[in-house]
Amino acid sequence: MKILVLNGVNLNMFGKRDPNHYGSETLEDINAALFELAKELKISVETHQTNIEGEMCERIHASHTDGSSAIVINAGAWTHYSYAIRDALEILSIPIIEIHMSNVHAREEFRHQSVFSSVVKGQICGFGVESYRLGLRAAFHAVNQLKSS
Ligand code: DQA
């Protein structure tokens, strides 16, 4: 099983962003934690980060044919307004888990809306790096559920 973990705009700057919301770990630290968990779950994980919206859409398109069984996505601020990424996700038939480090519902009003919510299986937010681990476990669980149904 391969799970694709996608990170969007400004998330390469984790480690330099407000530690109250995002802690001090870098994206490399987060990816390392995911590769560790992937070993435990006996799955493979591929990670991709981009600050370019069209590139994110193209990476999502590529997941139709690259053997991905599920997607975990933290799209950063795109979550709140990118209909292009939302529409790219909608075309997929594999489970999609939306995650955020911070509790977006306890922050500014514009962060309360996710334009992805109707096309994802579920959302996880507010647990810092643990949101990523929980997201990977949720994706793993969703794929196994599909296999056994
Ligand atoms: C974020 C939350 C978004 O509102 C914000 O724009 C981000 C990071 C998070 O992980 O908490 O860049 O997705």
Side-chain angles (χ1 to χ4, degrees):
M1 183 192 305
K2 178 174 92 170
I3 296 179
L4 178 62
V5 179
L6 296 175
N7 281 289
V9 64
N10 295 320
L11 304 192
N12 57 314
M13 300 307 282
F14 280 148
K16 293 193 172 67
R17 296 184 68 178
D18 184 346
N20 293 323
H21 293 305
Y22 305 119
S24 55
E25 286 94 344
T26 64
L27 190 56
E28 287 69 34
D29 297 333
I30 294 168
N31 288 342
L34 291 180
F35 290 128
E36 199 58 36
L37 177 57
K39 252 192 252 165
E40 194 187 299
L41 298 175
K42 297 184 175 41
I43 60 170
S44 77
V45 162
E46 184 186 330
T47 62
H48 184 75
Q49 188 277 330
T50 178
N51 293 312
I52 303 167
E53 190 181 15
E55 189 186 312
M56 179 61 93
C57 291
E58 287 183 348
R59 187 62 194 85
I60 293 167
H61 299 163
S63 73
H64 284 267
T65 52
D66 73 355
S68 297
S69 301
I71 287 182
V72 176
I73 183 165
N74 182 354
W78 286 329
T79 308
H80 313 302
Y81 66 87
S82 176
Y83 299 121
I85 293 173
R86 183 229 174 264
D87 284 354
L89 292 172
E90 188 184 26
I91 308 167
L92 292 171
S93 49
I94 56 176
I96 304 161
I97 315 295
E98 175 187 331
I99 63 156
H100 302 282
M101 293 265 262
S102 62
N103 178 357
V104 285
H105 302 289
R107 299 182 62 192
E108 301 94 321
E109 192 145 358
F110 75 89
R111 296 183 205 277
H112 299 181
Q113 195 209 4
S114 164
V115 298
F116 305 160
S117 47
S118 61
V119 297
V120 299
K121 178 143 182 76
Q123 299 161 315
I124 295 166
C125 73
F127 298 98
V129 178
E130 196 57 28
S131 291
Y132 280 86
R133 287 202 196 87
L134 291 168
L136 190 60
R137 284 189 189 279
F140 177 70
H141 179 72
V143 175
N144 283 332
Q145 258 188 336
L146 281 177
K147 277 189 191 160
S148 62
S149 66

